[in-house]
Amino acid sequence: MSDQSQADTLMISPRGKSLPQHIISSIRTDQPTMSAHGQETIHHPSRRSFCSRWRLSRGRMLASMLLMPTVASSFCMDIGDITGQYNWDALVITMEQAYGIPLCPFTIEGDACVGSENGYDVFDSFMEVSCDPYEVDECIIDCPGRHFTVHQGAVLTLHGMTLRGATESSIVVLGGGTFYIYDSYFERNTFISGNGGAIHASQQSFVSAIRTGFYFNEALNGGAMYNLGQAAVERSEFYYNDAMSGSGGAIFSGADSSSEYIENTYRRNAASFYGPAVFDGSLLAFVTTSNIACENTNFLSTGCDGIFSFVQQQCSTFGDFCDARSFLPERVQSQLDS
């Protein structure tokens, strides 16, 4: 391929859109790193100490991603607006232009939440929002209303995010929508007039949560998660979630749902009626493996450290129980102390 044709191929962004001229110029003038023997070298940072955090403009970020895709994970995009302030509108613009590049840590709360009341509507067949894994600080959305709605045919993936303060479920997944979340936290999200404080998943939806903490969420049913579709929850923690006037302190699974619960911990969740840990109302079989539970209570009985089956009208306890005397995770304890 000629030099000119190579340059021409860089005029198109990953989504097929023409790049602005200033980006094209920066691409054409950048030079690859050369070794002492005249060969191009590509660095693969494997440790944080060798990983530089670059706060790049959106244009420069695209150029760098096109030139060096193998090190894209060492970059992060700063969501600050032209004044350097973090707010909901700046986050929306950055998410739509990130192309999978991690975001630099930020906190959106208080007045910065203006415009977020209805959340962000996801229509894309693939949208990924992640926080830079090389950073100690977090990417935090602490806003009322709703944070994201995943529509039919859309796929949303969140990685390393902290979602707080929602008042109408943090995440709503509509029928035909798909939602994945990894290594993240849902904290103090509510839906006092509806179901699913953190996640509300409709029929024919799919939800996967892995290594995610659900702390202090509450709703009428399904304090943390209300599932009417298909859900897989693995290696996650549910602490102090509350079904305020219904069932499923941590998780509520409806009649047509199917669920897998693998290596999760349920502790000190509560429900007014059935299933302070997990309520299952489905006619389908659920899968459980190596879950741990303790101190989950309701007002109808002494509690259920397992899954309450509405069809069978009985509690199936998990095989393992946590030690009620054991320490709570520092993140949970700090919120209790505050």
Side-chain angles (χ1 to χ4, degrees):
M1 183 180 294
S2 67
D3 293 340
Q4 181 60 43
S5 61
Q6 287 179 339
D8 290 341
T9 62
L10 296 177
M11 294 185 182
I12 305 299
S13 73
R15 293 190 177 183
K17 298 179 181 179
S18 298
L19 296 176
Q21 185 60 44
H22 70 279
I23 301 178
I24 298 172
S25 299
S26 67
I27 293 173
R28 287 177 172 169
T29 56
D30 282 342
Q31 298 297 323
T33 303
M34 305 298 292
S35 70
H37 301 289
Q39 296 178 332
E40 293 186 11
T41 61
I42 299 177
H43 301 283
H44 298 273
S46 58
R47 297 185 180 180
R48 180 170 178 168
S49 58
F50 296 108
C51 172
S52 298
R53 173 181 165 211
W54 292 2
R55 290 182 176 269
L56 304 181
S57 68
R58 296 186 182 93
R60 182 66 174 170
M61 182 65 69
L62 267 177
S64 300
M65 181 184 67
L66 290 169
L67 284 170
M68 298 180 293
T70 56
V71 297
S73 62
S74 65
F75 299 147
C76 66
M77 289 189 72
D78 192 350
I79 74 162
D81 61 14
I82 58 175
T83 66
Q85 299 298 311
Y86 297 150
N87 58 58
W88 178 258
D89 289 338
L91 172 62
V92 168
I93 292 172
T94 307
M95 289 192 304
E96 293 178 343
Q97 298 182 1
Y99 305 108
I101 297 171
L103 305 181
C104 300
F106 64 85
T107 297
I108 297 177
E109 60 184 355
D111 293 341
C113 293
V114 172
S116 70
E117 293 79 8
N118 296 321
Y120 183 83
D121 290 291
V122 181
F123 295 99
D124 291 352
S125 58
F126 177 78
M127 181 176 188
E128 180 179 358
V129 182
S130 62
C131 194
D132 187 354
Y134 293 96
E135 288 291 335
V136 175
D137 295 330
E138 301 178 28
C139 295
I140 302 173
I141 300 174
D142 188 351
C143 295
R146 182 179 300 167
H147 298 147
F148 294 90
T149 299
V150 185
H151 290 261
Q152 180 179 8
V155 179
L156 172 64
T157 300
L158 300 182
H159 183 222
M161 303 293 292
T162 299
L163 303 177
R164 296 177 184 157
T167 53
E168 297 180 12
S169 300
S170 174
I171 306 290
V172 172
V173 189
L174 301 178
T178 300
F179 174 57
Y180 300 97
I181 186 162
Y182 306 88
D183 303 314
S184 298
Y185 297 101
F186 288 99
E187 298 174 337
R188 299 191 182 279
N189 300 286
T190 66
F191 197 179
I192 61 175
S193 61
N195 302 315
I199 299 174
H200 181 113
S202 302
Q203 291 180 326
Q204 299 181 348
S205 65
F206 177 79
V207 172
S208 173
I210 299 177
R211 296 185 303 273
T212 293
F214 295 81
Y215 308 141
F216 302 98
N217 303 286
E218 58 183 13
L220 297 182
N221 293 285
M225 180 186 299
Y226 182 83
N227 172 45
L228 299 179
Q230 183 179 358
V233 184
E234 182 176 352
R235 286 173 286 169
S236 295
E237 295 181 334
F238 295 83
Y239 287 80
Y240 289 96
N241 301 287
D242 187 6
M244 298 182 296
S245 60
S247 300
I251 300 175
F252 181 104
S253 291
D256 297 321
S257 66
S258 62
S259 306
E260 294 184 0
Y261 311 110
I262 301 174
E263 297 182 16
N264 303 308
T265 299
Y266 307 85
R267 186 174 179 185
R268 297 187 182 177
N269 302 287
S272 293
F273 292 100
Y274 302 105
V278 179
F279 173 90
D280 189 274
S282 72
L283 300 175
L284 303 175
F286 51 78
V287 177
T288 64
T289 304
S290 301
N291 292 277
I292 299 174
C294 64
E295 303 178 292
N296 299 286
T297 60
N298 60 12
F299 295 115
L300 295 182
S301 65
T302 57
C304 175
D305 288 323
I307 298 177
F308 181 88
S309 171
F310 183 75
V311 175
Q312 300 176 3
Q313 284 293 298
Q314 67 179 20
C315 173
S316 299
T317 58
F318 294 131
D320 297 310
F321 297 92
C322 52
D323 184 353
R325 297 168 297 176
S326 63
F327 292 108
L328 294 168
E330 181 178 353
R331 191 182 190 95
V332 175
Q333 188 63 55
S334 64
Q335 295 190 51
L336 288 173
D337 295 337
S338 62

